[in-house]
Amino acid sequence: MYQLLDTINSPADLRRLPRAQLKTLADELRAYVIDTVSKTGGHLSSNLGTVELTVALHYVFNTPDDRLVWDVGHQTYPHKILTGRRERMSTLRHLGGLSGFPRRDESPYDTFGTAHSSTSISAALGMALASRQKGEERQAVAIIGDGAMSAGMAFEALNNAGVHDDCRLLVVLNDNDMSISPPVGALNRYLAQLMSGRFYASAKNVGKQVLRVAPPLLELAKRLEAHAKGMVVPATLFENFGFNYIGPIDGHDLDSLIPTLENIKHLKGPQFLHVVTKKGQGYKLAEADPIAYHGPGKFDPAMGLQKSSAPAKQTFTQVFGRWLCDMAEHDSRLVGITPAMREGSGMVEFHQRFPERYHDVGIAEQHAVTFAAGMACEGLKPVVAIYSTFLQRGYDQLIHDVALQNLPVVFALDRAGLVGADGATHAGAYDIAYLRCIPNMSVACPADENECRKLLTSAFEQNHPVAVRYPRGAGAGVEPEAGLQSLPFGKGEVRREGATVAILAFGTLLYPALQAAEKLGATVLNMRWAKPLDIELLLKVAASHEALVTLEEGAIMGGAGSAVSEALQAAGLVKPLLQLGLRDEFIEHGDPAKLLALQGLDAAGIEAAITARFGALFQQSDKPGKLALKSVG
């Protein structure tokens, strides 16, 4: 099946092929991507859309000496395959295997690590200017999708790049959200090559020099050029940033891509190439439903994605989506906001039922937060559905625009804790630590699906900013109760009465804590809130136990355990305290259960850690019976 592809172990091998064979190579590469992802799971639609573009870039540019910087990175499987990692694709997104995103420590061809959007132009510009300063002749190429162009950072980079008219920077806009318009074809291919050619560029520069002595004529010439381009290409927005705009061209047409790229690489100054591609290209099922095939699990390529006959447990994302619709029905002030994550955040039904109250602001997390603040100023009750790892991008706005003004914005933090296959870039490891230090901010940590629904209601009832953090996927499987009942604000509960040691669990690790406590005879508290802490319950338990253990699926440093330590110190209590959570390291991709076990956060790991630290206390204890503690909340 892969006669040509099997001979490509590096882009140097690719560049030795006759151009006539590249179409066959692209077909084999596309088939290999489908075959690989069907066995491992991963991103599919976006990768199928960049096959020809990847082949053309590595064919034309001298990679890795020329730098390719991929935005987001979930379209880099063809890039990985062509750069010596073909045989390792079976390990994609598995523990110890290939990352689903570019990583500098994985390959010299991955020039910039990424998984969040809109960073490529900034990074590529930095590389281009560094090369210029060092006197090195190399091209820096940023490949960015149309969705990522909605982020302010991309335009900040364009604005900066436009003043460096001697840098060797190419921005490739991979436009895959629109159909290829009629101008894309033989005529447009010719015009794109003409506009990217050295003759055109030289003629334009000579013309500018000649007409510089007559400014009115120069301005007229510029207007005529813009008008002529505007007849066959989109608006000249990017030229106003100082880029030479080329395109749009068909991103699946190698006969268009390669000559255009070959012309561009000889030009100086910032260049902007607009290519139009199709998500899922070459696999009909993915073309028909690119969203469903964006990040599928394992599947049979011949059959496509199949619905499971077994009823699946309700995910936290689904719990949020249903709560959002129910609360919107109950309270007309509710508005839902997402930064381009409608499906991922469970807002499809809300969008369908309440279109006037649904706002997708694009990949623009900073804007999403301040946009919510503006709505809250006018008496609405915004709910921002955002991944924990993406809220990091709007941190200044969270402090300055929401918390400082004490505005009632609810942040539904999906993907809190470890996320498995997406790895360190997407892990929601830091939200407790970065949120609890902000005045006016509260943080809820539901232990299961039922608590998630109730704590969302509790958050919505408050008149200040509140975040509710919950993990990816399903939890313990506790069916959410109907209605919009809330739980007491800032109050936890005793879930198991024991002796000697008390485990204070924040979030879904309550359930492995209960398993460990059965063997240890320990007390278990479901704290529910990382901020405010239930101080009354904490002090009561501290007074009646020999030692305390905090447990959270978040960073230990500055997390909920640190909050408990601070509260004990403020109360003047000295008590042995063991803090369990995510260690001070970036946690790589892999099976979530395995990753938790490696962090010592499964039932066995919790039991082992407590025994190692407090085993002597259990042996010395002469109080094996349960303590009479009353549940609070």
Side-chain angles (χ1 to χ4, degrees):
M1 287 180 63
Y2 308 113
Q3 293 181 356
L4 268 181
L5 184 61
D6 285 345
T7 68
I8 306 300
N9 296 308
S10 73
D13 296 330
L14 167 66
R15 290 190 281 270
R16 283 192 285 267
L17 291 179
R19 188 184 295 183
Q21 291 187 312
L22 296 184
K23 176 65 170 65
T24 301
L25 176 67
D27 291 341
E28 291 185 13
L29 180 56
R30 176 169 282 107
Y32 194 84
V33 169
I34 295 171
D35 183 51
T36 298
V37 176
S38 70
K39 295 173 181 175
T40 63
H43 294 100
L44 184 61
S45 298
S46 52
N47 282 290
L48 295 179
T50 59
V51 168
E52 288 82 7
L53 178 60
T54 305
V55 169
L57 287 168
H58 280 295
Y59 189 78
V60 171
F61 294 103
N62 185 32
T63 55
D65 187 59
D66 287 329
R67 313 301 200 203
L68 299 186
V69 182
W70 298 88
D71 214 283
V72 181
H74 61 217
Q75 74 273 44
T76 55
Y77 297 179
H79 163 80
K80 288 176 182 279
I81 294 166
L82 294 176
T83 53
R85 288 168 276 182
R86 182 179 69 255
E87 298 300 327
R88 295 188 63 205
M89 286 297 289
S90 61
T91 70
L92 186 71
R93 291 158 48 99
H94 288 66
L95 185 63
L98 289 180
S99 169
F101 303 100
R103 287 184 51 146
R104 281 171 52 82
D105 60 1
E106 188 177 286
S107 169
Y109 293 92
D110 291 359
T111 61
F112 195 76
T114 183
H116 290 187
S117 80
S118 315
T119 61
S120 61
I121 305 176
S122 298
L125 176 61
M127 293 175 183
L129 295 185
S131 297
R132 185 186 69 181
Q133 181 171 322
K134 295 191 296 180
E136 298 169 344
E137 285 292 322
R138 63 163 51 101
Q139 187 81 36
V141 183
I143 305 99
I144 184 169
D146 53 342
M149 286 300 299
S150 65
M153 186 175 177
F155 285 92
E156 291 172 14
L158 290 174
N159 183 58
N160 186 199
V163 301
H164 297 286
D165 56 8
D166 59 342
C167 71
R168 298 190 62 190
L169 172 69
L170 167 62
V171 175
V172 179
L173 173 61
N174 177 26
D175 183 347
N176 57 22
D177 197 37
M178 56 176 280
S179 59
I180 297 175
S181 53
V184 176
L187 174 62
N188 197 66
R189 179 192 305 169
Y190 168 76
L191 290 170
Q193 292 178 36
L194 176 64
M195 286 190 290
S196 65
R198 278 172 284 181
F199 174 79
Y200 175 85
S202 298
K204 184 166 63 173
N205 288 333
V206 169
K208 287 180 179 178
Q209 293 297 324
V210 170
L211 295 174
R212 198 173 300 279
V213 296
L217 292 178
L218 175 62
E219 182 60 30
L220 176 61
K222 286 181 179 179
R223 291 183 181 182
L224 287 173
E225 179 189 23
H227 178 70
K229 279 192 174 184
M231 293 175 66
V232 292
V233 300
T236 56
L237 168 67
F238 301 107
E239 295 226 337
N240 289 332
F241 273 107
F243 282 75
N244 178 42
Y245 176 91
I246 301 154
I249 64 173
D250 186 347
H252 301 297
D253 182 0
L254 288 166
D255 291 331
S256 178
L257 281 170
I258 290 175
T260 301
L261 289 171
E262 286 178 336
N263 283 331
I264 288 173
K265 76 175 183 178
H266 296 293
L267 302 179
K268 287 191 175 181
Q271 308 294 319
F272 193 99
L273 175 62
H274 182 174
V275 303
V276 179
T277 62
K278 186 173 185 178
K279 288 183 179 179
Q281 174 74 14
Y283 183 48
K284 295 301 183 184
L285 295 173
E287 289 181 18
D289 194 351
I291 293 175
Y293 285 87
H294 173 72
K298 299 178 183 180
F299 66 98
D300 181 349
M303 300 296 294
L305 299 178
Q306 302 294 308
K307 290 185 178 180
S308 174
S309 56
K313 287 198 296 185
Q314 192 173 173
T315 67
F316 281 94
T317 302
Q318 291 170 332
V319 170
F320 165 72
R322 291 170 186 173
W323 170 85
L324 188 67
C325 289
D326 292 345
M327 184 57 78
E329 190 75 46
H330 173 75
D331 192 327
S332 61
R333 297 175 300 165
L334 184 149
V335 289
I337 300 168
T338 177
M341 294 303 297
R342 185 187 71 157
E343 287 76 17
S345 293
M347 298 183 72
V348 174
E349 183 182 353
F350 178 79
H351 181 202
Q352 293 169 345
R353 291 179 56 186
F354 305 96
E356 298 302 317
R357 294 156 66 183
Y358 167 81
H359 302 276
D360 184 345
V361 301
I363 303 177
E365 293 86 358
Q366 295 168 296
H367 165 60
V369 175
T370 303
F371 175 66
M375 288 192 146
C377 285
E378 297 301 319
L380 297 182
K381 295 278 283 188
V383 177
V384 180
I386 188 169
Y387 290 7
S388 168
T389 185
F390 295 155
L391 183 57
Q392 295 162 188
R393 311 187 92 190
Y395 193 60
D396 176 65
Q397 289 72 23
L398 182 64
I399 296 172
H400 184 273
D401 300 336
V402 175
L404 187 62
Q405 303 183 91
N406 202 23
L407 294 170
V409 179
V410 174
F411 294 91
L413 298 192
D414 205 327
R415 273 63 167 179
L418 299 181
V419 292
D422 283 338
T425 56
H426 283 60
Y430 316 109
D431 51 71
I432 295 177
Y434 73 63
L435 288 173
R436 74 174 193 85
C437 63
I438 303 175
N440 296 329
M441 194 81 203
S442 295
V443 185
C445 309
D448 54 45
E449 298 86 346
N450 189 37
E451 278 198 357
C452 185
R453 181 177 174 94
K454 290 183 177 181
L455 286 174
L456 284 165
T457 300
S458 301
F460 192 80
E461 290 174 347
Q462 307 310 309
N463 199 33
H464 64 270
V466 184
V468 181
R469 71 183 307 263
Y470 48 88
R472 182 178 190 173
V478 181
E479 186 68 23
E481 299 173 20
L484 293 168
Q485 299 92 342
S486 61
L487 291 170
F489 179 73
K491 294 296 181 181
E493 63 169 356
V494 178
R495 286 293 291 263
R496 186 187 189 278
E497 295 181 2
T500 308
V501 171
I503 305 173
L504 285 64
F506 294 83
T508 55
L509 292 185
L510 170 69
Y511 289 91
L514 288 169
Q515 295 177 45
E518 284 296 323
K519 296 185 177 181
L520 296 170
T523 295
V524 178
L525 306 184
N526 176 20
M527 294 302 290
R528 287 180 178 155
W529 295 86
K531 184 184 180 185
L533 280 178
D534 188 342
I535 301 296
E536 178 187 356
L537 180 59
L538 170 61
L539 297 183
K540 193 170 186 178
V541 170
S544 57
H545 288 73
E546 300 297 319
L548 302 178
V549 178
T550 61
L551 185 60
E552 60 193 299
E553 193 175 335
I556 295 175
M557 298 182 70
S562 296
V564 169
S565 176
E566 293 160 9
L568 292 173
Q569 291 182 52
L573 289 179
V574 178
K575 186 70 61 172
L577 174 65
L578 172 62
Q579 295 173 226
L580 299 179
L582 302 180
R583 295 189 286 267
D584 185 27
E585 61 190 33
F586 290 113
I587 300 169
E588 300 305 335
H589 51 275
D591 176 73
K594 177 66 173 176
L595 293 175
L596 280 174
L598 290 173
Q599 291 286 312
L601 298 178
D602 59 346
I606 295 166
E607 179 189 354
I610 295 174
T611 301
R613 178 73 176 273
F614 300 126
L617 292 178
F618 288 110
Q619 295 171 8
Q620 297 169 8
S621 176
D622 57 358
K623 300 178 290 183
K626 294 180 179 179
L627 298 177
L629 289 172
K630 290 186 177 180
S631 176
V632 180

